[in-house]
C-alpha cells in the first residue's frame, strides 16, 4: 500500500492522499440505514480530470477497488467503499464552470452541491429543477443515482436534465458525451447510460445540465382527504387537466404528524379536520404571473372539492416553504423516530391505491409499523418501516418490494440499488437483464475496479 | 436459403415470408437521399414477440444480417438492408394495445404510426407530443432514431417520452425494460440505451410512451427579421422568458419561398415586407385557456418587436396548420427542387449565429447552393444542399459537419447515422467512444447480426 500511496501522491500531491488511520470515518459511509460503514484503505482528492484519469491508472495497475464520493448523502450505500479500497472524493472539484444564460445550460464539476447551483442560477432567472430533498447533495452524486424528488411530476428526473458529461473510464480514457443540446441521434447515448450507474461504469468529472426559466410565483394547496384511496384517485385527475402541478405529494396521517411535530409547524388545519383526515395531498403550482397563479389555485381548489377533499388550505411564502422543507426532512424525522428502513419503491401511478391497500397487511404479517409519504404524482412511495428485528425486517422488505414489482413497478425510484438492495435487485430483476447489464459493465470496466459490490452484489 | 425460408415459414406462416424476386423493391430502401436501395434476400412479417424471437433464432443460426423495418420513412438509410439479408417488417405488429388515461401512458406495437397514435389519443384529451414532421413514421422507427421534430424545444425528443420497452435481443431473449413510471434508479437504463440505437442492439416489439394533456388552444406568430443573426439572437430571449413556446422554427428566405410556393400558401405578409426580410422566425404557443393564449400572443408580439422583428403576423387555425404542414414537408419540397443532401446537424443554441455565418462560405467554396430551415429553439439545423457533383458534395458535407462538431455540436440531431453518415461518424467522433460503443454493441449482439453496416460502417 505504501507504493500506491506514493503513486497517488505523485498525482495529486501528498496533502491530498489520506491513508490508514488518517482517514476520517465519514469517508466510509453514506446515509443509508442498511449498510454498515467500512474503512477504506485510502482517500484521494483529485483537482481535475487529468488527475482523476491518473488516479484510475494507479488503481487499475494495483487492482484497487474505487468508490467515487460526492457529499455522502446517498441512501443506498453506493458511496460506501470496499474495506481497504480507494475512495476518490470530488470535494475539490467543486466549481461552477459556467452558467450559459443564452444556452440555458450550466456546466459544473461533480462536487458542486445542489444548494450552490441553486444560488448561482437564481440570480440569472434560471433554475435547475431537480430537488431531491437534500440540497447538500453533490451534482455528481445525483447523476450517479439519477436523483428525482418532488418536482419530477412536472420536470422529470436528473436524467432528463443531464445533456452531457465528461467522464473517465476505468481504462483511464477521458470521454465527453452529449453537449449543449437536447437533440442528438449520433450513436448510443452514453450520457444516459452513465446517469444512474452508481459509479460502476465511469467517474464523472463534469456535467452539462439543462436549466429552465425560474418562475416567480408559487403556491401550495394542502387537501385533507378521508383516506388513501381518495387521494390516489384524485392524482390522475390533477395531472391530466393541464394545471401541470410542480408537486403532487401524498402524506399519510402518521407522516404528517411526524413532519409537522418535528418542524413545530402549524398549517392552520383545524383539529376536527385533522381528526377526520385519513391522508393529505399537497399540490404546488407555479406560474410566471401572480394573477394566473391565483386563478389556478382557485381552479385547483374547486377540482379538489369535486374529488372529495374535506377542504383545501392555501399555503404560500414562508408557510409553504416550511412545509416543503419539513416534508423533505421526513427521512430525518423517520430516522429520529427510530425507523429501521426507508422504502423507495415505484408503482405505476394508476396502481398506487392497490399498493397502499397491500401495505397494512404486509406490516401486520411482520409485526411492523409502516407510515409514509410519497411522490404521488409519479408513483414513487417512501415508507418508513419500524421493525427492529433484522430478520423480520428483511422478510417484510422482500414482500413489500415484490409487491411493487408485481404491480409493474420497480424497487428503487431515486435512491438507487447501491449495496443495500443488491439482494432485491437480483431476486426481482429478470436474469437476462442482469446478465446483459453485467456485459455492459464489462464493456466499460473490464477488470471490475469501479465500485465492486454495488448494483450486482 | 431454402432452408432459411422454410424455417421462417414455420415461425410466421408461409404467406408472411417473401423471398428473392417476390420481395417488393420498397423493402430495400428508405427516404435517405444518400443511400442506394439494396435487395434483401428475404422479408419476414412476424405477428408477435414470440415470432420475432424465433425469427432472430433462425437468423442467428444462419448468420443472416437482420434489418428491422417500420414505415421506411427514415432519412439515413438505417432501414436499408444488407444485400441478401433479412428484413423484419413490423407491419403486422401495428396495434395500439392500451391508452391508459389514469397513468397517462400509451402501450403500442412498433408498427403503429404517429398519425394512428395521434388519432387514438385525441379523443382522450391526451397527446404524444413528438411530431418529427412525418406522421406516417412508425413508433418503432422513431424509437430507433430518437426522432425529434418541431416540439422538441418544449417537449424534448422521443427518448424523453419512452418509459419502457419490450425488446428481443440478438440471442433471442425477450426483455422488458422500464415501465409505466418516470422515476427509476434500478440498474442501467436499458430503455435509453436502446432508444436511438437504429436497430443495432435489439428489436423493439412494444413501446410504453408517456402522454401529456392535449391543450386546446394554439396560435402561431410569424416574424420576418432583417437577417439570420437577428433571428438567432432572439431565440434565447424567447425560451428564457417563461412563455414556453411549443415551436421555435427558423426559416430562411429561400426555404420560405419554396415552402409557401410548394403549398400554394398565402401567409398575408405584404410583398414589401417579404422583400426586406432576411429570415423568418415561426413561434407557436399553446394553452389550455383561449384568453391566456391571446395574452401570450400579445406579449410575444411585443417581445418580437423589441428583438428587431419587422412585424408579427398572427396565424391561427387552418392557416397555421397549413404553414406547419408545409414546413414539415420542406424535405419533400427540397427534394422536389433537386436537393442532393439534407443536413441534420446540431449546434448549441448559443452558437447558431456562428454556424449560419459559416454556411455561405462553405457553400461558396464548393460551388453549392444551400438553403434551409431549422429547429432554432434547439439548435437543430436542416439545410438543403444543391450540388450534383458527388465529390464536391462529399467535401462540402465533410466541412459542414466538421463545422457543427467544432462548435460543440453533433452531426445528427434526429435523422440518425444510419448507413449514410457512418463515414462522418467515424471521422468526427472520439475513437475511444466509438470503441466503447462497439463493446456495448458486442454485449447485446455478440455475432453482429443486427443491422451490420449501420452506425459503425
Amino acid at each position: 500500500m505504501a507504493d500506491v500511496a506514493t503513486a497517488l501522491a505523485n498525482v495529486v500531491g501528498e496533502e491530498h492522499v489520506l491513508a490508514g488511520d488518517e482517514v476520517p470515518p465519514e469517508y466510509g459511509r453514506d446515509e443509508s440505514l442498511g449498510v454498515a460503514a467500512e474503512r477504506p484503505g485510502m482517500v484521494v482528492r483529485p483537482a481535475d480530470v487529468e488527475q482523476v484519469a491518473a488516479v484510475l491508472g494507479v488503481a487499475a495497475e494495483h487492482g484497487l477497488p474505487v468508490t467515487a464520493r460526492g457529499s455522502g448523502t446517498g441512501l443506498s450505500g453506493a458511496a460506501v467503499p470496499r474495506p481497504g479500497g480507494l475512495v476518490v472524493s470530488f470535494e475539490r472539484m467543486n466549481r461552477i464552470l459556467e452558467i450559459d444564460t443564452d444556452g440555458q445550460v450550466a456546466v459544473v464539476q461533480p462536487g458542486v452541491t445542489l444548494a450552490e447551483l441553486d444560488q448561482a442560477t437564481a440570480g440569472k432567472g434560471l433554475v435547475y429543477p431537480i430537488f431531491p430533498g437534500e440540497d447538500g447533495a453533490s451534482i455528481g452524486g445525483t447523476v450517479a443515482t439519477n436523483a428525482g424528488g418532488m418536482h419530477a411530476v412536472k420536470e422529470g428526473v436528473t436524467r432528463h436534465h443531464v445533456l452531457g458529461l465528461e467522464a473517465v473510464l476505468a481504462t483511464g480514457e477521458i470521454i465527453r458525451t452529449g453537449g449543449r443540446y437536447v437533440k442528438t441521434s449520433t450513436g448510443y447515448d452514453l450520457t444516459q447510460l452513465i446517469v444512474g450507474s452508481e459509479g460502476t461504469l465511469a467517474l464523472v468529472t463534469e456535467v452539462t445540465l439543462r436549466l429552465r426559466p425560474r418562475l416567480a410565483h408559487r403556491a401550495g394547496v394542502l387537501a385533507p382527504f378521508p383516506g388513501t384511496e381518495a387521494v390516489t384517485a384524485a392524482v390522475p385527475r390533477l395531472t391530466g387537466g393541464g394545471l401541470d402541478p410542480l408537486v403532487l405529494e401524498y402524506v399519510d396521517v402518521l407522516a404528517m404528524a411526524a413532519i409537522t411535530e418535528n418542524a413545530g409547524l402549524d398549517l392552520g388545519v383545524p383539529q376536527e379536520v385533522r381528526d377526520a383526515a385519513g391522508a393529505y395531498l399537497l399540490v404546488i403550482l407555479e406560474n410566471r404571473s401572480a394573477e394566473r397563479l391565483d386563478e389556478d389555485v382557485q381552479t385547483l381548489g374547486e377540482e379538489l372539492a369535486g374529488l372529495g377533499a374535506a377542504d383545501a388550505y392555501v399555503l404560500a411564502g414562508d408557510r409553504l416553504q416550511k412545509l416543503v422543507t419539513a416534508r423533505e426532512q421526513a427521512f430525518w424525522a423517520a430516522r429520529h423516530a427510530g425507523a429501521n428502513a426507508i422504502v423507495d419503491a415505484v408503482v405505476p401511478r394508476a396502481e398506487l391505491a392497490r399498493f397502499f391497500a397491500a401495505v397494512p397487511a404486509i406490516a401486520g404479517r411482520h409485526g411492523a409499523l409502516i407510515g409514509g409519504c410519497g411522490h404521488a404524482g409519479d408513483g414513487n412511495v417512501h415508507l418508513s418501516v419500524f421493525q427492529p428485528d433484522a430478520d423480520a425486517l428483511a422478510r417484510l422488505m422482500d414482500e413489500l418490494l415484490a409487491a411493487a414489482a408485481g404491480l409493474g413497478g420497480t424497487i428503487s425510484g431515486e435512491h438507487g440499488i447501491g449495496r443495500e438492495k443488491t439482494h432485491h435487485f437480483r431476486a426481482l430483476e429478470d436474469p437476462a437483464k442482469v446478465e446483459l447489464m453485467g456485459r455492459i459493465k464489462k464493456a466499460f470496466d473490464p477488470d471490475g475496479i469501479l465500485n465492486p459490490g454495488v448494483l450486482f452484489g
Side-chain angles (χ1 to χ4, degrees), chain A:
Chain A
M1 286 303 262
D3 280 9
V4 178
T6 307
L8 292 174
N10 286 340
V11 174
V12 299
E14 211 173 315
E15 66 276 32
H16 299 301
V17 180
L18 306 172
D21 291 345
E22 292 166 9
V23 176
E26 61 260 32
Y27 288 99
R29 57 175 173 80
D30 64 8
E31 301 297 350
S32 162
L33 294 182
V35 179
E38 298 285 358
R39 275 211 82 78
M42 260 173 269
V43 174
V44 61
R45 298 184 293 213
D48 57 35
V49 62
E50 285 77 21
Q51 291 189 2
V52 174
V55 164
L56 278 189
V58 173
E61 195 186 329
H62 294 83
L64 210 58
V66 173
T67 296
R69 183 178 185 83
S71 303
T73 58
L75 295 172
S76 68
V80 174
R82 272 288 164 91
L86 177 65
V87 170
V88 178
S89 169
F90 284 97
E91 62 203 87
R92 292 172 70 212
M93 292 177 68
N94 62 352
R95 279 183 305 135
I96 296 174
L97 301 173
E98 190 183 347
I99 308 281
D100 165 2
T101 50
D102 274 8
Q104 287 177 240
V105 154
V107 184
V108 304
Q109 291 188 316
V112 170
T113 67
L114 289 170
E116 289 160 355
L117 181 58
D118 194 50
Q119 202 170 6
T121 52
K124 314 255 185 180
L126 296 169
V127 67
Y128 175 61
I130 303 301
F131 289 82
E134 170 54 71
D135 69 2
S138 71
I139 300 290
T142 60
V143 167
T145 53
N146 186 27
M150 280 198 221
H151 297 185
V153 63
K154 181 179 180 195
E155 302 285 2
V157 298
T158 299
R159 73 167 63 259
H160 301 114
H161 299 272
V162 178
L163 300 176
L165 298 172
E166 178 191 71
V168 183
L169 303 181
T171 47
E173 289 158 307
I174 299 166
I175 61 170
R176 296 192 73 91
T177 70
R180 298 184 190 199
Y181 43 78
V182 171
K183 276 184 176 176
T184 174
S185 184
T186 309
Y188 306 148
D189 198 324
L190 301 175
T191 309
Q192 295 299 325
L193 189 52
I194 294 171
V195 172
S197 66
E198 304 192 60
T200 64
L201 294 182
L203 297 195
V204 171
T205 51
E206 189 189 294
V207 187
T208 301
L209 295 167
R210 187 170 77 123
L211 305 176
R212 304 282 287 164
R214 189 180 286 256
L215 305 184
H217 306 281
R218 185 177 291 191
V221 174
L222 182 70
F225 277 85
T228 307
E229 201 134 323
V231 172
T232 53
V235 167
R237 301 286 85 73
L238 298 172
T239 51
L243 281 177
D244 210 9
L246 178 68
V247 167
L248 257 182
E249 290 287 304
Y250 156 87
V251 189
D252 76 10
V253 286
L254 198 68
M256 184 57 91
I259 286 170
T260 50
E261 194 179 316
N262 201 55
L265 201 59
D266 178 11
L267 297 170
V269 182
Q271 187 62 48
E272 68 271 20
V273 176
R274 273 185 280 165
D275 289 346
Y280 293 84
L281 189 62
L282 171 65
V283 187
I284 302 182
L285 303 177
E286 58 171 9
N287 209 295
R288 63 193 165 86
S289 140
E291 292 72 37
R292 288 189 184 183
L293 181 63
D294 286 348
E295 276 174 31
D296 286 355
V297 166
Q298 185 72 29
T299 305
L300 173 62
E302 289 158 17
E303 287 185 11
L304 285 165
L307 291 164
D311 208 335
Y313 300 89
V314 180
L315 305 171
D318 197 43
R319 215 177 207 177
L320 176 61
Q321 190 47 51
K322 275 188 178 149
L323 176 60
V324 168
T325 305
R327 162 62 192 89
E328 287 181 341
Q329 289 172 354
F331 166 75
W332 297 104
R335 189 165 151 155
H336 183 75
N340 305 99
I342 302 291
V343 173
D344 172 39
V346 176
V347 294
R349 196 164 58 200
E351 301 291 349
L352 268 174
R354 243 190 286 189
F355 185 68
F356 283 131
V359 169
I362 296 174
R365 269 199 291 285
H366 301 281
L369 182 66
I370 300 185
C373 42
H375 311 303
D378 40 60
N380 185 202
V381 181
H382 296 308
L383 301 170
S384 307
V385 182
F386 298 82
Q387 172 48 278
D389 181 80
D391 290 341
L393 181 65
R395 286 194 300 274
L396 179 152
M397 289 296 280
D398 285 350
E399 204 173 328
L400 208 54
L401 295 181
L407 289 168
T410 186
I411 63 177
S412 175
E414 53 192 9
H415 297 174
I417 302 300
R419 297 187 186 282
E420 192 177 89
K421 292 189 272 288
T422 55
H423 152 73
H424 294 112
F425 178 61
R426 295 198 75 106
L428 295 169
E429 192 52 277
D430 174 7
K433 276 164 68 184
V434 176
E435 276 169 36
L436 177 58
M437 290 184 199
R439 297 196 296 272
I440 293 168
K441 160 82 173 166
K442 242 186 156 66
F444 276 83
D445 178 19
D447 299 322
I449 62 169
L450 292 180
N451 234 3
V454 166
L455 189 53
F456 298 101

